[in-house]
Amino acid sequence: MTFGGTDDFARPCVSSITSSGHRLVLLTADGVRIEAEYEPYRGPGTGAAEPPAIVVAHGFTGSLDRPAVRRAARAFAQYAGVITFSFRGHGGSGGRSTLGDLEVLDLAAAVGWARSLGHRRVATVGFSMGGSVVLRHGALHPPAPAGADAPVEGRDKEHGGRIDAHADTVVSVSAPARWYYRGTAPMRRLHWAISRPSGRLLARCVLRTRVQAEDWDPVPLSPTEAVPLIAPRRLLIVHGDRDTYFPLDHPRALAAAGDAELWIEAGFGHAESAAGVGLLGRIGEWAVGNFSPARPSP
């Protein structure tokens, strides 16, 4: 599937403009409808030309309407225009969750929408599952070579990369370094739930999260394998020393895999639910202050 213009990215879901901006449905490259919302920049100098954008990728069982995601959007809106969305299988989006695989296409659609709105600089910030997705998206959707006038197909051979939907800088929060990790009790419970019909039924009915039954085939590029492919764009890895899902060997492995800045946050737990306004503000400030000065040479 190819896309020819702004309308191909954003299919109206709600005709009105809400108090926090536009809410639309995005159509992914594989035809899944993804709910998304745009919150305008509200920081100093509001109204200045071409503010940057931050696209927020939530964790597993999240959605754009969850309080933690809305808190992140409000915090980031002090630094940039903000796009939030619900991954496939989550909230009001269509499809089923693939636990970080095809979700790269959801993020690409959201980044493409940010660019169609006129944002020339776009940062992606992902939490937990979303943290792995922003890493893989950064690897699979590189910028066009310097001097290129048209979008080029990226490294996304798994999913048929087709648009210039690259991120200019990437922030991954509370992300795993490797797949199939079961070293903590929360992750063992998660794997139990997604591998059994009764667990998937519980996720659908209680958490509004619809998970595909099939395992990955093939296994997608891992977060650690993705990290070195993001360079020369800037990458920040953020992790809490009280994360009960992924211990500190995960962020350290990610940071060691490439040129990344690493923050180990004292007292911070897991993902957007545990992220306070202070940490979110520092992430937003870093994201808009660390865009690459120029696109890489061919």
Side-chain angles (χ1 to χ4, degrees):
M1 181 179 294
T2 58
F3 294 79
T6 300
D7 290 340
D8 290 321
F9 288 114
R11 305 296 177 89
C13 173
V14 180
S15 59
S16 62
I17 299 176
T18 69
S19 60
S20 59
H22 302 272
R23 180 168 289 204
L24 301 172
V25 164
L26 308 177
L27 190 66
T28 69
D30 60 344
V32 177
R33 294 171 65 85
I34 302 297
E35 63 174 357
E37 183 168 305
Y38 177 72
E39 184 153 343
Y41 171 61
R42 303 184 187 278
T46 299
E50 295 184 357
I54 294 175
V55 179
V56 180
H58 63 75
F60 183 63
T61 75
S63 74
L64 67 79
D65 286 321
R66 291 294 176 95
V69 175
R70 302 290 1 122
R71 181 174 67 247
R74 290 191 299 271
F76 293 153
Q78 300 303 308
Y79 303 92
V82 180
I83 287 178
T84 52
F85 66 97
S86 299
F87 279 121
R88 62 185 62 203
H90 291 73
S93 292
R96 294 181 181 272
S97 174
T98 65
L99 303 167
D101 181 14
L102 296 177
E103 282 76 7
V104 169
L105 302 181
D106 308 343
L107 180 57
V111 172
W113 184 32
R115 296 201 180 281
S116 77
L117 293 173
H119 294 286
R120 297 179 62 186
R121 298 175 298 161
V122 181
T124 53
V125 179
F127 298 88
S128 192
M129 182 187 76
S132 68
V133 173
V134 299
L135 294 174
R136 298 185 60 250
H137 170 267
L140 299 172
H141 287 80
D149 294 326
V152 298
E153 293 197 357
R155 299 187 180 99
D156 194 353
K157 299 184 185 301
E158 295 177 66
H159 309 130
R162 80 285 181 229
I163 58 173
D164 183 13
H166 72 276
D168 297 297
T169 193
V170 178
V171 181
S172 178
V173 185
S174 303
R178 52 194 180 274
W179 301 135
Y180 302 108
Y181 177 71
R182 293 177 171 85
T184 59
M187 288 305 297
R188 288 191 290 273
R189 289 194 295 268
L190 174 61
H191 281 280
W192 180 92
I194 63 177
S195 63
R196 289 166 171 78
S198 58
R200 293 191 294 271
L201 177 62
L202 179 67
R204 183 173 73 248
C205 296
V206 177
L207 302 174
R208 293 191 65 200
T209 303
R210 302 167 304 283
V211 183
Q212 71 172 14
E214 300 80 16
D215 197 1
W216 291 327
D217 184 20
V219 176
L221 183 77
S222 76
T224 302
E225 293 169 328
V227 165
L229 302 178
I230 295 172
R233 289 164 292 167
R234 298 294 303 277
L235 169 62
L236 173 64
I237 305 295
V238 182
H239 213 87
D241 65 357
R242 295 188 180 179
D243 193 311
T244 58
Y245 286 79
F246 305 113
L248 293 179
D249 63 303
H250 285 260
R252 289 169 177 155
L254 291 172
D259 185 12
E261 185 172 338
L262 174 61
W263 295 356
I264 301 296
E265 294 293 311
F268 174 43
H270 183 72
E272 64 265 41
S273 297
V277 173
L279 175 58
L280 293 169
R282 288 195 289 122
I283 290 172
E285 184 176 18
W286 188 96
V288 302
N290 284 275
F291 290 109
S292 299
R295 288 188 175 186
S297 299

